[in-house]
Amino acid sequence: MRRRLLIVLAIFVLGAARPLRALTLQDAYDRAGPRDGYDRWVDLETGVVYTGGLQIGPSAWPHSADLIGEPGCDVRIAGHGAVLDLRGQQICLSYCANRLDIDDCVVLNGNLRFRGLTGDGIHEIPTGSVRHVTFYRPEDYGVRLHHCGAGITLERNLVVDAVDTGPDFVYTHGAAHDRLPTGTSLSGGVTEGEAVVRENWSWHADPEANADPLRHFSFLCEYG
């Protein structure tokens, strides 16, 4: 009887430790409404795994400055300890003068990017903040700032084992370039103003990678 009780208790504990259900991050975003000055306030739930990435703002058509897709909006992602399994995708605020604030969550198997664009009458520079986020084995980077910086704060984040997936792609034509290495925890680029970067931690389990400063913090040229 005692043994059976212990087995039942173990099953209960293991079941309670697992996420209650899996949802897509896109679904959570689509259901979110306005609040406190944001167009979408995305309240996530503790212990829930949200899968897939999220694109906020348009994309740039290769070989031109044409922007395609939905316009951006101001977004707050309140994590509450949720797990975001991006499954090789990104959370990206791109080519818009909007804001993304994200905090208190765990990000797996993807990365978070802010992308800006200027020139030919275009001036689309995103802003926002990333606070108290743990990135575990993010692909390419933990956080990548692309042609933006002013109005962005990266504070008290932890990035573990950023994955080197080979050269990143030049946004103007989509070809990989060996001057755009991946596997860096936090990476900036050609900016308009400096981001506020403070009290972030980076670590690689591989001693060789951990000893390389560029696997922790880097500054890249988006044009290769």
Side-chain angles (χ1 to χ4, degrees), residues 166-186:
D168 204 356
F169 302 96
V170 179
Y171 78 101
T172 53
H173 51 67
H177 200 297
D178 58 8
R179 292 185 183 177
L180 297 175
T182 61
T184 301
S185 295
L186 302 176

Side-chain angles (χ1 to χ4, degrees), residues 179-209:
R179 292 185 183 177
L180 297 175
T182 61
T184 301
S185 295
L186 302 176
S187 182
V190 177
T191 65
E192 290 206 346
E194 296 296 326
V196 176
V197 181
R198 59 191 175 208
E199 297 185 5
N200 297 280
W201 293 270
S202 169
W203 186 77
H204 290 267
D206 175 48
E208 184 176 349

Side-chain angles (χ1 to χ4, degrees), residues 71-129:
C73 60
D74 296 329
V75 178
R76 166 78 192 280
I77 299 178
H80 302 297
V83 176
L84 310 183
D85 183 357
L86 303 185
R87 297 186 176 179
Q89 300 179 39
Q90 306 170 0
I91 298 172
C92 186
L93 179 65
S94 68
Y95 309 131
C96 59
N98 292 100
R99 182 175 188 89
L100 168 63
D101 293 306
I102 179 171
D103 57 67
D104 297 318
C105 57
V106 176
V107 174
L108 311 175
N109 307 316
N111 61 72
L112 197 156
R113 301 194 185 210
F114 292 82
R115 289 183 175 272
L117 185 65
T118 58
D120 297 326
I122 297 173
H123 192 272
E124 301 292 351
I125 304 296
T127 58
S129 63

Side-chain angles (χ1 to χ4, degrees), residues 6 23 61-62 66 105 126 130 165 202:
L6 289 174
L23 305 171
W61 191 260
D66 295 335
C105 57
V130 184
T165 61
S202 169

